[in-house]
Structures are given as structure tokens and as C-alpha cells.
Amino acid sequence: MSQYDTRSIQQDDSAHYMHPFTDHKSLSARGARVMVKGEGVYIWDSEGQRLFDGMSGLWCVNAGYGRKEIADAAYAQMLQLPFYNSFFQTTNPPAVALAKKLVELAPPQFSHVFFTSSGSEGNDTIIRMVRRYWDVLGQPQKSVIISRHNAYHGSTMAGASLGGMSGMHAQGGLPIPDIVHIEQPHYFEHGRGMTEEQFGLHAASWLEAKILEVGVERVAAFIGEPVQGAGGVIIPPASYWPEIQRICEKYGILLISDEVICGFGRLGTWFGCEKMGAKPDLMTFAKGVTSGYIPLGGVLVSQKVAQVLIEQGGEFNHGFTYSGHPAACAAALANLKILQDEDLVRRVAEDTGPYLAQEFAKLGDHPLVGLANSCGLVAGLNLVKKKAPVLHDCELFDPALEVGMVCRGHMFGNGMIMRAVGDRMIIAPPLCVTRAQIDEMLGLIRDCLDKTHADLQSRGWV
Ligand SMILES: *Cc1c(COP(=O)(O)O)cnc(C)c1O
């Protein structure tokens, strides 16, 4: 017998709890799955079923569940000083220590940190910083930020505007002014007839075209995720980011790397831009900085930007009650210590990342899988109706069938958390995952792909 009354939790849930990104009518009909416990790479629901958490919660539980050191650090700090603000010429030791630590871990051009409580707030902060930067330099008309379709930069007004999710823009009058989008570097979708290398340069050229269209005197910055996460683990060709970097330098616009997913080892480097060969002026972080144990986010600021804001800018009229929250910063320090003590970033680069790449690619032989690729510890596979020797000739499913959701259902029902973005199935397991657990995870995925295939055959969809 479970200690939880699942039915009653579900009833209260649908009566009172409005979930993020959720269609409540259909959720109420089914009842939410109630998650109650986590340990390592596994979570348990209220009925006692164990699931392999292939998504690290929501791309954040990088150190894995059940890390007592993180809990202890937050607990000790809460007893010592649970909160104090950093507004009125005050500070606190964990915030200072974390800022110093983050600057040490970041690429050499970074010197300062601004704290928020989430990635969305980090990106809001970045918009204000970037516009303030150009204003202080006497070029207030440089306010346009170029982003990409299908990017995800959060859910506040500014975060959702920077993001390129059409569903989000369709609600609430977004994007806000002076944010424009170019196409994403998605080889499967846009790369027909080109090598990946050629396509990477081609996709980067869309940035140059947009800068010229808007007028360089109006453009403030470009923002991108090193690997797009929520958009479906879109891994750009190796030629893409160095070319983006070159274009930003050529036109003197700021480069922003949204590291909310890729930061803290996800791609096998401390920050994703290092893996991709870019040298940003600003970086957003959140999720993995605390492994999700407590909300914390922020902005890493380069010397170049900090210099202008600090030396010439006077007061920057921006901040949050919880900027530099002592308990959140203490949790982050404990989390980063785990990543370092267990050498998890190097392990992703040299051991688990390459092993996942090798084993995940084997799923490409499955009759439903058109493409299976990975980068560090993010991976994705595309479900296709009919495979073809040339990737771009694969026959796709009718999107209205929501085949990805069918597949996700089989995964979830059989103990594997794998997310569906359209017909692309994605994973981002905790960085503490072992080779044996990768084998276990891929066994589950293959088994669930077989179940999905049989299901689709019985529906007459393949
Ligand atoms: C999750 C995410 C955000 C938003 O972070 P929140 O903490 O949910 O506000 C921003 N950017 C990227 C790349 C993300 O994945």
C-alpha cells in the first residue's frame, strides 16, 4: 500500500493548482502523475513506480537526486542567516563566494555576476543591461536584439519575447518591441542539399543578413543557446558558432550565450560556448547552478560590459529581492563542489558523453528513427514514418497525429522519462549517470520504441 492517497492529491491538484504549460481540461480528465521521491538518476511516483529520469527534472538536477551536501549547506545557511538583501550597500558571504567561484569557472573574459532567481529573470536582466550598455556609450538607438525562431529563453514577457516559440508569441501580445528573430540552425529542417559544414555557415549568414536589414546602428546584440534545449536538442554544425562569433565581432554587436541548460558541464565543458567555439560578452545561467535544489539564476558579465556599466553607468536601476539569496548561493556552492570533487565535467567530456554518443547513435537502426544524435549529455532522435538513405528524404508523420506524444506515453508508462518535442524525442540525464545506467536507459528507450512501433502499426500509421 502506498502512503499517498493519489486520487485525493490529483483531485486537489486539478481543483487548485494551475500548472505551467498545461492544458488543464485534459490534465483533469487523466489526473497528474504525483512525484514523491528521488535518488540518483531515479524518481518515484506516489504509486511506488520507479522511473529513470532521462530529463534531470527539467534539465537541472545535474548532480542527481538525494545529495545531502546540498541540503545541508542550505539548511546551515538558513539557520545562520536565511535572508538578507544586497540592495542598500550590503552583501553576504555565500553570494560573494559564489560570484567569485563562477568567475573562476567561466571563460577568462568574465569578471562579474548579477544574481536572479531564474533563467527568465536572467534574460530580462540581460535585455536591460545590453540596452543600458549602448545607452551609456551614447548609442541609445542600438536597442534591437536578434534571436532565433524556436529558441527558448524563458517565460517572462522579455524571456518569451527573446524566445522564438510561436505558441508563446500567440498569447499576450509578444514579442515586445525591438526583438527580431532569424531561422534556427536546424540541419534536418533547413539543410537539404548541403553538407553540415556548409549549412552551419549558411545558417550563420542569416545573422549577417538580419543585421544589414535592421541596420547595424540599431542592433545591440545577438542571443542564442549553444545547443537549443526546449526547441528539441538542436545541435548546430561545428561551423556555426565560430561564424556567429566572427559576424558579431565584424559588426561590433554584443554576443549573449544563454547557458541555462548548457552551463555547468552539460556539454562536457563548464559552459557550452567553450565547446562551440564562441566567446560571448554575457551569459545567462540558472538550472544546473544549484542542480535545481533551490531556485537561482543570473548573468555572467564580461569585463568589457561591466567596465561600461560600473565605471560610466552610475546606478543600474534593476534588481530583485532575492538577488544573491544566501541560502540559494550556499546550495550552489555545495553543488559546484560536487561537480568538481567528482570531476563530473571532465567525465562528461571524456567518458559518459562519448559513450552516450556511441550507444545512442545505434538507435538509428530502429525502423522508427530517422536521426539519432547527441552532444555531451543531451541527445535526441527523430521519429519518422519512412526512413531513407538520405536524411532529408525521410518521410515524416502528419504532425496532427502527435506521434511524439504517443511515444512519450509508452516511455512514461514503462519507467522511462523521455520528453517529446514534436516528433523528436529528447533526453538530458543527470551528469552523475554511469555507463551501466546509460545501458539501462538505452535498453528502456529501445524497448519503448518497439512498443511505439507496434502501437503505430496497430493504428495503421506506419
Ligand atoms: C529553462 C530555460 C530558461 C528559463 O529559465 P527559468 O528558470 O525557467 O526561468 C531560459 N533559457 C533556457 C535556455 C532555458 O532552458
Side-chain angles (χ1 to χ4, degrees):
M1 253 298 283
S2 160
Q3 68 184 105
Y4 298 94
D5 182 347
T6 302
R7 195 65 210 122
S8 121
I9 296 172
Q10 286 172 331
Q11 276 162 358
D12 289 347
D13 177 75
S14 65
H16 305 296
Y17 182 16
M18 274 181 105
H19 296 220
F21 289 99
T22 295
D23 175 349
H24 276 272
K25 273 199 182 148
S26 71
L27 179 66
S28 296
R30 245 191 354 260
R33 191 136 182 195
V34 185
M35 302 305 188
V36 297
K37 179 185 148 71
E39 187 65 44
V41 298
Y42 304 103
I43 56 173
W44 282 262
D45 70 15
S46 56
E47 297 292 288
Q49 196 196 339
R50 190 181 87 162
L51 295 114
F52 194 113
D53 186 6
M55 281 307 298
S56 305
L58 205 50
W59 323 85
C60 50
V61 188
N62 290 353
Y65 296 93
R67 293 294 189 143
K68 190 162 178 302
E69 309 92 300
I70 304 177
D72 284 344
Y75 176 74
Q77 184 58 43
M78 283 181 185
L79 293 180
Q80 174 76 26
L81 177 72
F83 173 76
Y84 200 73
N85 70 72
S86 298
F87 280 36
F88 308 114
Q89 321 252 318
T90 58
T91 192
N92 69 79
V96 176
L98 180 60
K100 185 173 178 210
K101 181 87 202 167
L102 290 171
V103 167
E104 265 168 40
L105 295 174
Q109 69 271 28
F110 289 95
S111 63
H112 287 75
V113 182
F114 191 100
F115 288 115
T116 69
S117 297
S118 70
S120 301
E121 291 170 354
N123 283 325
D124 274 56
T125 300
I126 279 190
I127 293 186
R128 302 204 58 210
M129 270 188 186
V130 158
R131 290 183 176 165
R132 178 73 187 139
Y133 170 87
W134 289 114
D135 191 21
V136 170
L137 288 177
Q139 300 187 67
Q141 75 290 351
K142 274 176 95 67
S143 61
V144 174
I145 299 172
I146 301 174
S147 179
R148 302 178 299 181
H149 293 300
N150 200 37
Y152 189 76
H153 296 299
S155 198
T156 53
M157 292 291 278
S161 294
L162 283 177
M165 300 282 172
S166 49
M168 293 176 80
H169 289 182
Q171 298 175 352
L174 301 179
I176 58 172
D178 282 358
I179 292 176
V180 298
H181 298 81
I182 59 173
E183 209 33 90
Q184 57 181 334
H186 190 347
Y187 181 60
F188 195 16
E189 198 169 304
H190 304 291
R192 179 183 288 276
M194 284 179 255
T195 65
E196 282 209 59
E197 162 85 17
Q198 289 167 338
F199 173 68
L201 297 176
H202 180 65
S205 79
W206 297 329
L207 172 59
E208 184 157 29
K210 186 57 97 177
I211 293 171
L212 296 175
E213 178 196 321
V214 172
V216 66
E217 70 288 351
R218 294 270 291 120
V219 179
F222 172 76
I223 183 169
E225 304 153 77
V227 168
Q228 285 156 263
V233 180
I234 304 199
I235 303 165
S239 55
Y240 180 75
W241 273 105
E243 181 65 3
I244 290 284
Q245 170 75 44
R246 191 189 68 76
I247 293 167
C248 288
E249 272 170 25
K250 176 174 174 191
Y251 293 98
I253 67 169
L254 295 173
L255 178 57
I256 306 159
S257 188
D258 183 336
E259 297 275 351
V260 172
I261 286 175
C262 297
F264 308 104
R266 177 58 57 195
L267 306 185
T269 45
W270 276 97
F271 293 91
C273 59
E274 298 168 277
K275 168 97 171 191
M276 293 293 151
K279 200 165 165 278
D281 302 295
L282 294 148
M283 298 197 291
T284 328
F285 64 88
K287 297 189 172 115
V289 68
T290 57
S291 282
Y293 279 58
I294 299 193
L296 180 67
V299 179
L300 269 150
V301 187
S302 64
Q303 189 81 51
K304 169 176 151 183
V305 174
Q307 191 84 24
V308 170
L309 295 179
I310 292 169
E311 300 299 326
Q312 304 173 50
E315 183 171 335
F316 180 40
N317 298 318
H318 177 74
F320 302 103
T321 301
Y322 297 133
S323 289
H325 191 285
C329 292
L333 285 164
N335 173 60
L336 297 176
K337 186 168 181 328
I338 290 173
L339 297 191
Q340 286 195 304
D341 289 352
E342 299 180 13
D343 211 7
L344 289 179
V345 181
R346 199 174 55 85
R347 210 169 98 185
V348 173
E350 294 175 9
D351 179 24
T352 47
Y355 186 66
L356 179 69
Q358 172 197 310
E359 296 301 309
F360 195 82
K362 292 181 185 165
L363 294 171
D365 69 12
H366 193 277
L368 275 181
V369 177
L371 167 71
N373 58 352
S374 73
C375 180
L377 286 189
V378 287
L381 58 85
N382 291 67
L383 301 172
V384 297
K385 185 169 178 178
K386 201 153 169 234
K387 295 169 68 141
V390 175
L391 179 65
H392 295 98
D393 291 338
C394 288
E395 191 183 335
L396 306 182
F397 288 104
D398 176 354
L401 298 177
E402 299 197 342
V403 166
M405 289 308 285
V406 172
C407 183
R408 181 186 174 278
H410 287 290
M411 296 281 171
F412 242 67
N414 290 284
M416 177 67 211
I417 297 184
M418 190 173 196
R419 181 166 159 186
V421 179
D423 291 344
R424 185 153 162 93
M425 305 300 300
I426 60 175
I427 51 165
L431 308 189
C432 62
V433 71
T434 62
R435 281 184 178 230
Q437 287 167 337
I438 289 175
D439 290 341
E440 180 193 338
M441 174 174 73
L442 290 171
L444 281 165
I445 291 174
R446 186 173 283 278
D447 185 41
C448 296
L449 285 172
D450 289 343
K451 289 187 162 73
T452 305
H453 194 225
D455 184 355
L456 298 181
Q457 275 175 328
S458 75
R459 298 175 195 223
W461 292 359
V462 285

